[in-house]
Amino acid sequence: MKGYVNHVPISDALVAEHGLSPDEYQRVLEVLGREPTLTELGIFSVMWSEHCSYKSSRKHLGGLPTSGPRVLQGPGENAGVVDVGGGWAVAFKMESHNHPSFIEPYQGAATGVGGIMRDVFTMGARPIASLNSLRFGRVDHPRTPYLVGGVVAGIGGYGNCMGVPTVGGEVTFDPSYDGNILVNAFNLGLLRADRIFRGYATGVGNPVIYVGAKTGRDGIHGATMASDTFDEGSEQKRPTVQVGDPFTEKLLLEACLELFATDLVIGIQDMGAAGLTSSSFEMASRAGTGLDLDLDAVPQRAADLDPYEMMLSESQERMLLVARAGREAEVAEIFRKWDLDAVVVGRVTDTGRVVVTWRGETAADIPVDPITELAPRYDRPHHPPADLESRWRLDLSAVADPAPGDEASARLTALLAAPNVASRQWIYRQYDHSVRVGTVRRPGDADAAVIRLPDGDRGVALTVDCNPRLCWLDPLRGAALAIVECCRNLACVGAEPLGTTDCLNFGNPERPEIMWELVQAIEGIGLACREMECPVVSGNVSLYNETGATAVKPTPSVAVVGLVEDVHRAGCTAFGRDDLEVALLGVLEGPEGGSLAGSVLLSDLEGRCAGRPAAPDFARERAVQGACRELVRTGTVASAHDLSEGGLAVALAEMCFGGPGYPQVGVSVHIHPRARLDQALFGEDGGRILIAYALDDRALVQAVAARYEAPLAILGLTGGDHLRITDHRGHALVDAPIATLHEAWRFGLERALGYGE
């Protein structure tokens, strides 16, 4: 085709290699009215990939609650934004970088961190805190120690160099992740509520400016690779993994923030997945405009890049922006100061098309709407897995109930050393969590991280959660329980939920049972976010997380951000001193005993995952969380800790362990087991928080609990050097030295991974 750059004929095999189905390719032909060039084929391939188009999930995501009194920007932009008062707002989002991290763990994790930071500072925000949500295979799998070490080093290396604290996270080990780990990165940034920047290419004739690092060949087809399953040849896909440079990103951040202080910017977009392609088409789509791009102007660090490579490269630390016409030199001067490229590569048009030229010829000429808003959308078949009812059957008669005393104490010790319970200190000590001196509650200090806002004593709290075992057993309930646990974590530091971001990690949606998991999880998130008043303001969907026929357990990771009125009263986990009364907000056990469905006790010590999780009791959650939040905010409670994995016994032990500035302290409590002892000690029912307070404040605690109609049970007192749990007759159910329990917990993960002490 004269005037068009096309290097190879478009064969059926080439179309399949680009991940397009025959029907989708037919749609390409209809959109263009002709055969595509190779560059155009690549553009359709990445923009219609699952990673970029959400073609399997978009139909269901529309039902999520996305608005609220504090929501300034919901889904559809680079990050969500909520108002935190005082003229300030926070932007936040969570993204996946799963496939790249399995192939090349250090760079995959590092560039995941870099990408999510760019999503946040594109909105005009300075990144101030990061979280991560990680999933690995069995600790005894040959690759797990290597993958854990590489991912943790990549997260720490990039975040530390950027000067952004990593203040919290979560890690799960499960056989379903043996062949496909999950690396989800979250970032939160601070901005003025009236200075939000968005990715719009408006103003016909305005210049389109490429800023940041130069373009190379790394990351080409990264978005397509992220929308495919793994096989035996997956490790050969290393060229599709981007290479990050945090020092360049730091320069880019500061240059962008300086630029945002001017009136030069019309719109700006990160060059993330699909690089120059996604940024240009998305900016034009949001504005209803078109773009003319000249690839000869694109800064390059590799020789002889062709249009296909330049449009699909996912080289890191790059942005695309639209500036005011006639002000190009001012933009360039700011970036020159920071030793970065800032080059005009195009203009905004009114054509509704993106036209790409190279060496005087047309490499691509594509209408915008079919690429973005009219991308394929599927209503895929979905139905429960055939073995669902068998998953729900939990026969506790086949599980040995520990005898009171030494046997139950040994079971607790073993559980504290188990991979999914043991201390994560080996991981988070590799992260700088105090840089910028705004961190009030660090990893290990509390159930949620707390960051100080710049206008006094207020702060934001942030936490991330998901229990994949519960989601595998019942994805609707499991996803809903993840939301309520995040909100419970926030209540423990005195924070009110503001908004949610999610990262939905699932297997192949073309399998009806996997699609059912996704649909159910989205419904569960929507239900819980409405009940807990924490709308979803941003998110990400990552599908095809499977190797061969083995899919990861459904993993809808969620992060919730909350507002803390006084950071000086933000709650902590550790008891820290003697003579505190310990009480439980909530009910110790259900009518049939504490729930062991999907529990860490059964998974890590018995090697089984079974039972149906109880549906969240939203009324009780609101009551318990409201009472806890008020008690923390008034300074009445000295410590608060929610009961989750490992139940009552693990939560008590963790509160005894202390931390920086808090010595180890024992505790003696009394309980009345309803049925089996393991259910009472290790059951994982929701809606429960342990609190500790001065004896003189008992009446106040009881009054607050009564006002919220939250159940309250006084359990015992702190003191001594043992964790002692007795029944109503005073017989010891558990009696173990805190030092012994702490040693098992502190070094359990390192020993399991073979890292030593």
Side-chain angles (χ1 to χ4, degrees), residues 63 92 109 155 199 223 236 265 281 286 320 359 378 398 432 437 562 642 649 685 707 724 735:
F92 56 93
I155 292 170
Q236 303 306 313
V265 182
F281 276 91
R286 293 189 189 110
L320 196 67
R359 296 180 179 176
Y378 296 118
D432 189 334
V437 300
D642 89 306
D685 303 84
R707 180 151 41 83
R724 183 175 172 83
D735 191 355

PDB file of all heavy atoms in Angstrom, residues 63 92 109 155 199 223 236 265 281 286 320 359 378 398 432 437 562 642 649 685 707 724 735:
ATOM      1  N   GLY A  63     -20.734  -2.284  37.784  1.00  0.00           N
ATOM      2  CA  GLY A  63     -21.618  -2.326  38.938  1.00  0.00           C
ATOM      3  C   GLY A  63     -20.985  -1.911  40.243  1.00  0.00           C
ATOM      4  O   GLY A  63     -21.660  -1.880  41.284  1.00  0.00           O
ATOM      5  N   PHE A  92      -4.441   7.579  44.656  1.00  0.00           N
ATOM      6  CA  PHE A  92      -3.896   6.254  44.918  1.00  0.00           C
ATOM      7  C   PHE A  92      -4.442   5.232  43.925  1.00  0.00           C
ATOM      8  O   PHE A  92      -5.515   5.388  43.352  1.00  0.00           O
ATOM      9  CB  PHE A  92      -4.169   5.800  46.353  1.00  0.00           C
ATOM     10  CG  PHE A  92      -5.617   5.786  46.768  1.00  0.00           C
ATOM     11  CD1 PHE A  92      -6.386   4.640  46.652  1.00  0.00           C
ATOM     12  CD2 PHE A  92      -6.207   6.923  47.313  1.00  0.00           C
ATOM     13  CE1 PHE A  92      -7.709   4.619  47.051  1.00  0.00           C
ATOM     14  CE2 PHE A  92      -7.536   6.918  47.715  1.00  0.00           C
ATOM     15  CZ  PHE A  92      -8.289   5.765  47.582  1.00  0.00           C
ATOM     16  N   ALA A 109       9.422  -6.605  39.542  1.00  0.00           N
ATOM     17  CA  ALA A 109       8.893  -5.926  40.725  1.00  0.00           C
ATOM     18  C   ALA A 109       9.284  -4.453  40.739  1.00  0.00           C
ATOM     19  O   ALA A 109       8.475  -3.582  41.071  1.00  0.00           O
ATOM     20  CB  ALA A 109       9.392  -6.620  41.987  1.00  0.00           C
ATOM     21  N   ILE A 155      11.462  -4.362  44.804  1.00  0.00           N
ATOM     22  CA  ILE A 155      10.586  -3.376  45.440  1.00  0.00           C
ATOM     23  C   ILE A 155      11.404  -2.399  46.271  1.00  0.00           C
ATOM     24  O   ILE A 155      11.242  -1.176  46.175  1.00  0.00           O
ATOM     25  CB  ILE A 155       9.542  -4.079  46.318  1.00  0.00           C
ATOM     26  CG1 ILE A 155       8.558  -4.872  45.457  1.00  0.00           C
ATOM     27  CG2 ILE A 155       8.790  -3.070  47.197  1.00  0.00           C
ATOM     28  CD1 ILE A 155       7.644  -5.779  46.244  1.00  0.00           C
ATOM     29  N   GLY A 199      -5.449  13.022  32.022  1.00  0.00           N
ATOM     30  CA  GLY A 199      -4.871  12.633  30.735  1.00  0.00           C
ATOM     31  C   GLY A 199      -5.752  13.000  29.561  1.00  0.00           C
ATOM     32  O   GLY A 199      -6.299  12.115  28.892  1.00  0.00           O
ATOM     33  N   ALA A 223       2.295  -5.740  27.351  1.00  0.00           N
ATOM     34  CA  ALA A 223       0.858  -5.807  27.640  1.00  0.00           C
ATOM     35  C   ALA A 223       0.248  -7.082  27.093  1.00  0.00           C
ATOM     36  O   ALA A 223      -0.618  -7.701  27.713  1.00  0.00           O
ATOM     37  CB  ALA A 223       0.151  -4.584  27.050  1.00  0.00           C
ATOM     38  N   GLN A 236      11.611 -17.636  28.383  1.00  0.00           N
ATOM     39  CA  GLN A 236      12.279 -17.062  27.221  1.00  0.00           C
ATOM     40  C   GLN A 236      11.713 -15.683  26.885  1.00  0.00           C
ATOM     41  O   GLN A 236      12.172 -15.035  25.948  1.00  0.00           O
ATOM     42  CB  GLN A 236      12.111 -18.002  26.012  1.00  0.00           C
ATOM     43  CG  GLN A 236      12.626 -19.419  26.266  1.00  0.00           C
ATOM     44  CD  GLN A 236      14.060 -19.443  26.759  1.00  0.00           C
ATOM     45  OE1 GLN A 236      14.918 -18.771  26.186  1.00  0.00           O
ATOM     46  NE2 GLN A 236      14.317 -20.193  27.825  1.00  0.00           N
ATOM     47  N   VAL A 265       0.539  22.978  31.442  1.00  0.00           N
ATOM     48  CA  VAL A 265       0.063  21.630  31.131  1.00  0.00           C
ATOM     49  C   VAL A 265      -1.436  21.615  30.850  1.00  0.00           C
ATOM     50  O   VAL A 265      -2.243  22.104  31.651  1.00  0.00           O
ATOM     51  CB  VAL A 265       0.381  20.663  32.296  1.00  0.00           C
ATOM     52  CG1 VAL A 265      -0.085  19.253  31.942  1.00  0.00           C
ATOM     53  CG2 VAL A 265       1.859  20.669  32.595  1.00  0.00           C
ATOM     54  N   PHE A 281      -3.486   7.156  22.419  1.00  0.00           N
ATOM     55  CA  PHE A 281      -4.883   6.845  22.128  1.00  0.00           C
ATOM     56  C   PHE A 281      -5.793   7.173  23.311  1.00  0.00           C
ATOM     57  O   PHE A 281      -6.908   7.671  23.126  1.00  0.00           O
ATOM     58  CB  PHE A 281      -5.028   5.373  21.741  1.00  0.00           C
ATOM     59  CG  PHE A 281      -4.748   5.111  20.286  1.00  0.00           C
ATOM     60  CD1 PHE A 281      -3.472   4.788  19.866  1.00  0.00           C
ATOM     61  CD2 PHE A 281      -5.751   5.216  19.339  1.00  0.00           C
ATOM     62  CE1 PHE A 281      -3.198   4.558  18.529  1.00  0.00           C
ATOM     63  CE2 PHE A 281      -5.493   4.990  17.994  1.00  0.00           C
ATOM     64  CZ  PHE A 281      -4.213   4.660  17.579  1.00  0.00           C
ATOM     65  N   ARG A 286     -10.194  10.372  25.667  1.00  0.00           N
ATOM     66  CA  ARG A 286     -10.859  11.113  26.744  1.00  0.00           C
ATOM     67  C   ARG A 286     -11.308  12.494  26.274  1.00  0.00           C
ATOM     68  O   ARG A 286     -12.318  13.016  26.757  1.00  0.00           O
ATOM     69  CB  ARG A 286      -9.915  11.257  27.928  1.00  0.00           C
ATOM     70  CG  ARG A 286      -9.581   9.951  28.642  1.00  0.00           C
ATOM     71  CD  ARG A 286      -8.815  10.220  29.924  1.00  0.00           C
ATOM     72  NE  ARG A 286      -8.305   8.991  30.528  1.00  0.00           N
ATOM     73  CZ  ARG A 286      -7.033   8.649  30.571  1.00  0.00           C
ATOM     74  NH1 ARG A 286      -6.118   9.461  30.056  1.00  0.00           N
ATOM     75  NH2 ARG A 286      -6.652   7.521  31.124  1.00  0.00           N
ATOM     76  N   LEU A 320       3.826  11.327  28.340  1.00  0.00           N
ATOM     77  CA  LEU A 320       3.358  12.088  27.192  1.00  0.00           C
ATOM     78  C   LEU A 320       2.461  13.197  27.718  1.00  0.00           C
ATOM     79  O   LEU A 320       1.572  12.941  28.535  1.00  0.00           O
ATOM     80  CB  LEU A 320       2.572  11.182  26.237  1.00  0.00           C
ATOM     81  CG  LEU A 320       2.344  11.721  24.813  1.00  0.00           C
ATOM     82  CD1 LEU A 320       3.666  11.808  24.071  1.00  0.00           C
ATOM     83  CD2 LEU A 320       1.358  10.828  24.057  1.00  0.00           C
ATOM     84  N   ARG A 359       9.724   8.724   8.740  1.00  0.00           N
ATOM     85  CA  ARG A 359      10.539   8.905   7.533  1.00  0.00           C
ATOM     86  C   ARG A 359       9.679   9.269   6.329  1.00  0.00           C
ATOM     87  O   ARG A 359       9.856   8.757   5.217  1.00  0.00           O
ATOM     88  CB  ARG A 359      11.361   7.655   7.243  1.00  0.00           C
ATOM     89  CG  ARG A 359      12.383   7.348   8.333  1.00  0.00           C
ATOM     90  CD  ARG A 359      13.197   6.116   8.037  1.00  0.00           C
ATOM     91  NE  ARG A 359      14.172   5.872   9.106  1.00  0.00           N
ATOM     92  CZ  ARG A 359      14.972   4.802   9.153  1.00  0.00           C
ATOM     93  NH1 ARG A 359      14.923   3.887   8.188  1.00  0.00           N
ATOM     94  NH2 ARG A 359      15.818   4.650  10.156  1.00  0.00           N
ATOM     95  N   TYR A 378     -16.670  -8.779  26.046  1.00  0.00           N
ATOM     96  CA  TYR A 378     -17.250 -10.115  26.056  1.00  0.00           C
ATOM     97  C   TYR A 378     -18.099 -10.334  27.304  1.00  0.00           C
ATOM     98  O   TYR A 378     -17.748  -9.897  28.393  1.00  0.00           O
ATOM     99  CB  TYR A 378     -16.150 -11.171  25.991  1.00  0.00           C
ATOM    100  CG  TYR A 378     -15.360 -11.123  24.696  1.00  0.00           C
ATOM    101  CD1 TYR A 378     -13.995 -10.847  24.697  1.00  0.00           C
ATOM    102  CD2 TYR A 378     -15.986 -11.338  23.475  1.00  0.00           C
ATOM    103  CE1 TYR A 378     -13.273 -10.793  23.519  1.00  0.00           C
ATOM    104  CE2 TYR A 378     -15.278 -11.287  22.285  1.00  0.00           C
ATOM    105  CZ  TYR A 378     -13.922 -11.012  22.308  1.00  0.00           C
ATOM    106  OH  TYR A 378     -13.224 -10.955  21.143  1.00  0.00           O
ATOM    107  N   ALA A 398     -11.892 -35.461  61.083  1.00  0.00           N
ATOM    108  CA  ALA A 398     -10.627 -35.956  60.535  1.00  0.00           C
ATOM    109  C   ALA A 398      -9.439 -35.102  60.973  1.00  0.00           C
ATOM    110  O   ALA A 398      -8.304 -35.373  60.588  1.00  0.00           O
ATOM    111  CB  ALA A 398     -10.698 -35.996  59.013  1.00  0.00           C
ATOM    112  N   ASP A 432      12.896   1.036  52.974  1.00  0.00           N
ATOM    113  CA  ASP A 432      12.968   2.268  53.777  1.00  0.00           C
ATOM    114  C   ASP A 432      11.531   2.697  54.043  1.00  0.00           C
ATOM    115  O   ASP A 432      10.809   3.066  53.121  1.00  0.00           O
ATOM    116  CB  ASP A 432      13.726   3.352  53.009  1.00  0.00           C
ATOM    117  CG  ASP A 432      14.023   4.580  53.866  1.00  0.00           C
ATOM    118  OD1 ASP A 432      13.263   4.820  54.823  1.00  0.00           O
ATOM    119  OD2 ASP A 432      14.996   5.292  53.580  1.00  0.00           O
ATOM    120  N   VAL A 437      10.113  11.319  56.643  1.00  0.00           N
ATOM    121  CA  VAL A 437       9.768  11.532  58.055  1.00  0.00           C
ATOM    122  C   VAL A 437       8.282  11.776  58.299  1.00  0.00           C
ATOM    123  O   VAL A 437       7.914  12.408  59.279  1.00  0.00           O
ATOM    124  CB  VAL A 437      10.602  12.669  58.688  1.00  0.00           C
ATOM    125  CG1 VAL A 437      12.076  12.365  58.619  1.00  0.00           C
ATOM    126  CG2 VAL A 437      10.316  14.028  58.019  1.00  0.00           C
ATOM    127  N   GLY A 562      -7.884   5.513  54.648  1.00  0.00           N
ATOM    128  CA  GLY A 562      -8.745   6.158  55.633  1.00  0.00           C
ATOM    129  C   GLY A 562      -8.135   7.432  56.185  1.00  0.00           C
ATOM    130  O   GLY A 562      -6.945   7.706  55.994  1.00  0.00           O
ATOM    131  N   ASP A 642      -6.981  -6.563  65.164  1.00  0.00           N
ATOM    132  CA  ASP A 642      -8.099  -7.366  64.696  1.00  0.00           C
ATOM    133  C   ASP A 642      -7.734  -8.844  64.687  1.00  0.00           C
ATOM    134  O   ASP A 642      -6.563  -9.216  64.596  1.00  0.00           O
ATOM    135  CB  ASP A 642      -8.556  -6.899  63.307  1.00  0.00           C
ATOM    136  CG  ASP A 642      -7.828  -7.587  62.181  1.00  0.00           C
ATOM    137  OD1 ASP A 642      -6.583  -7.562  62.183  1.00  0.00           O
ATOM    138  OD2 ASP A 642      -8.487  -8.140  61.292  1.00  0.00           O
ATOM    139  N   ALA A 649      -5.696 -16.816  69.469  1.00  0.00           N
ATOM    140  CA  ALA A 649      -4.399 -17.147  70.063  1.00  0.00           C
ATOM    141  C   ALA A 649      -3.264 -16.433  69.349  1.00  0.00           C
ATOM    142  O   ALA A 649      -2.345 -15.903  69.987  1.00  0.00           O
ATOM    143  CB  ALA A 649      -4.180 -18.659  70.033  1.00  0.00           C
ATOM    144  N   ASP A 685     -13.412 -16.208  62.557  1.00  0.00           N
ATOM    145  CA  ASP A 685     -14.624 -15.417  62.348  1.00  0.00           C
ATOM    146  C   ASP A 685     -14.271 -13.943  62.207  1.00  0.00           C
ATOM    147  O   ASP A 685     -13.305 -13.454  62.796  1.00  0.00           O
ATOM    148  CB  ASP A 685     -15.577 -15.593  63.529  1.00  0.00           C
ATOM    149  CG  ASP A 685     -15.933 -17.053  63.771  1.00  0.00           C
ATOM    150  OD1 ASP A 685     -15.146 -17.733  64.450  1.00  0.00           O
ATOM    151  OD2 ASP A 685     -16.977 -17.503  63.270  1.00  0.00           O
ATOM    152  N   ARG A 707     -23.103   1.916  73.268  1.00  0.00           N
ATOM    153  CA  ARG A 707     -23.682   2.918  72.366  1.00  0.00           C
ATOM    154  C   ARG A 707     -23.657   2.452  70.915  1.00  0.00           C
ATOM    155  O   ARG A 707     -24.571   2.739  70.143  1.00  0.00           O
ATOM    156  CB  ARG A 707     -22.928   4.237  72.546  1.00  0.00           C
ATOM    157  CG  ARG A 707     -23.430   5.360  71.667  1.00  0.00           C
ATOM    158  CD  ARG A 707     -23.205   6.719  72.321  1.00  0.00           C
ATOM    159  NE  ARG A 707     -21.914   6.814  72.969  1.00  0.00           N
ATOM    160  CZ  ARG A 707     -20.766   7.109  72.338  1.00  0.00           C
ATOM    161  NH1 ARG A 707     -20.781   7.310  71.037  1.00  0.00           N
ATOM    162  NH2 ARG A 707     -19.628   7.212  73.010  1.00  0.00           N
ATOM    163  N   ARG A 724      -1.010 -17.012  78.614  1.00  0.00           N
ATOM    164  CA  ARG A 724      -1.771 -18.026  79.338  1.00  0.00           C
ATOM    165  C   ARG A 724      -3.257 -17.842  79.039  1.00  0.00           C
ATOM    166  O   ARG A 724      -3.818 -16.756  79.240  1.00  0.00           O
ATOM    167  CB  ARG A 724      -1.505 -17.911  80.834  1.00  0.00           C
ATOM    168  CG  ARG A 724      -2.190 -18.973  81.690  1.00  0.00           C
ATOM    169  CD  ARG A 724      -1.762 -18.856  83.142  1.00  0.00           C
ATOM    170  NE  ARG A 724      -2.541 -19.723  84.017  1.00  0.00           N
ATOM    171  CZ  ARG A 724      -2.285 -21.018  84.215  1.00  0.00           C
ATOM    172  NH1 ARG A 724      -1.260 -21.578  83.595  1.00  0.00           N
ATOM    173  NH2 ARG A 724      -3.034 -21.733  85.031  1.00  0.00           N
ATOM    174  N   ASP A 735      -0.367 -22.369  77.669  1.00  0.00           N
ATOM    175  CA  ASP A 735       0.544 -21.739  78.626  1.00  0.00           C
ATOM    176  C   ASP A 735       1.948 -21.850  78.044  1.00  0.00           C
ATOM    177  O   ASP A 735       2.545 -22.930  78.045  1.00  0.00           O
ATOM    178  CB  ASP A 735       0.474 -22.416  79.989  1.00  0.00           C
ATOM    179  CG  ASP A 735       1.195 -21.613  81.076  1.00  0.00           C
ATOM    180  OD1 ASP A 735       1.824 -20.592  80.733  1.00  0.00           O
ATOM    181  OD2 ASP A 735       1.119 -22.018  82.254  1.00  0.00           O
TER     182      ASP A 735
END
